Amino acid sequence: MPALPASLRAPSLRRRMACWLYEGTLMFGVVVLPGLIFGILTNTRHALDNRHALQLLLFAVLALYFGYFWVKGQTLPMKTWHIRVVDRQGQPLRWPRALLRYLLAWVWFLPPLAAMAPFKLSGGEVTVLMGGWIVVWALLSRFQRGQQFWHDVWAGTRLIDVQPDLSRRRV
């Protein structure tokens, strides 16, 4: 198999996972305002009231957030870690592919959530199950050509390393 051009090489797993954790931290800021507005407009008094409608709203908000930034090439954490998302040919994503990638990225969470649904698991058990699945899913990328995550392979996208050109920096 020929080596990938330097411009299409995947960032290290460590950088991709650091970006993933940073993204997860920022998600609080992305969902808190829509969640607050939803709670006020629906006069929600208990966390389980209107739960499914709120989940659907936040799912859509996150789809718009990720879709918008992936079409532009990078979210803030991706810029920080010098990672860009492109299609298989190295071109920027269009909305349909960005939304497909968003839907397929839920594979990081849906299998363990489905596995714990029929059982009454403690918080610690849920943490171990979710954490274990995430570790396994991340490590599986090491066996994929180009070391891409499986949702990227299925969506026809790839994460590439976009290290800045340090020779252009002012001293």
Side-chain angles (χ1 to χ4, degrees):
M1 166 187 342
L4 289 170
S7 62
L8 293 179
R9 290 213 178 102
S12 69
L13 179 59
R14 183 180 309 163
R15 281 187 30 231
R16 288 181 287 154
M17 292 308 294
C19 181
W20 187 82
L21 286 172
Y22 183 9
E23 199 78 70
T25 303
L26 288 184
M27 289 303 90
F28 175 77
V30 172
V31 301
V32 71
L33 187 60
L36 178 65
I37 292 169
F38 176 86
I40 291 169
L41 292 177
T42 60
N43 200 24
T44 300
R45 301 276 184 208
H46 187 277
L48 296 179
D49 291 345
N50 303 320
R51 172 178 60 157
H52 299 298
L54 177 60
Q55 288 171 341
L56 183 61
L57 170 70
L58 296 181
F59 183 81
V61 165
L62 291 176
L64 289 173
Y65 167 83
F66 283 113
Y68 175 79
F69 284 106
W70 288 342
V71 165
K72 299 231 173 254
Q74 297 171 296
T75 61
L76 177 62
M78 293 170 88
K79 284 181 183 182
T80 301
W81 289 97
H82 308 292
I83 297 171
R84 180 177 294 278
V85 63
V86 294
D87 67 14
R88 284 190 182 120
Q89 290 73 39
Q91 299 301 310
L93 301 187
R94 295 191 180 188
W95 270 97
R97 189 168 307 272
L99 292 177
L100 176 63
R101 184 178 192 264
Y102 172 74
L103 291 173
L104 291 170
W106 278 94
V107 104
W108 283 87
F109 303 104
L110 289 182
L113 290 174
M116 54 187 172
F119 307 106
K120 289 191 179 270
L121 302 177
S122 69
E125 292 168 328
V126 168
T127 301
V128 167
L129 181 63
M130 186 68 76
W133 174 255
I134 289 169
V135 167
V136 167
W137 192 250
L139 289 175
L140 284 175
S141 73
R142 305 286 290 175
F143 303 105
Q144 171 56 36
R145 180 177 175 258
Q147 297 189 355
Q148 296 296 318
F149 292 126
W150 282 100
H151 66 277
D152 282 312
V153 173
W154 298 329
T157 60
R158 57 185 309 108
L159 295 176
I160 59 170
D161 192 347
V162 287
Q163 290 296 324
D165 183 5
L166 298 179
S167 66
R168 292 178 32 169
R169 270 198 172 160
R170 285 190 218 150
V171 182

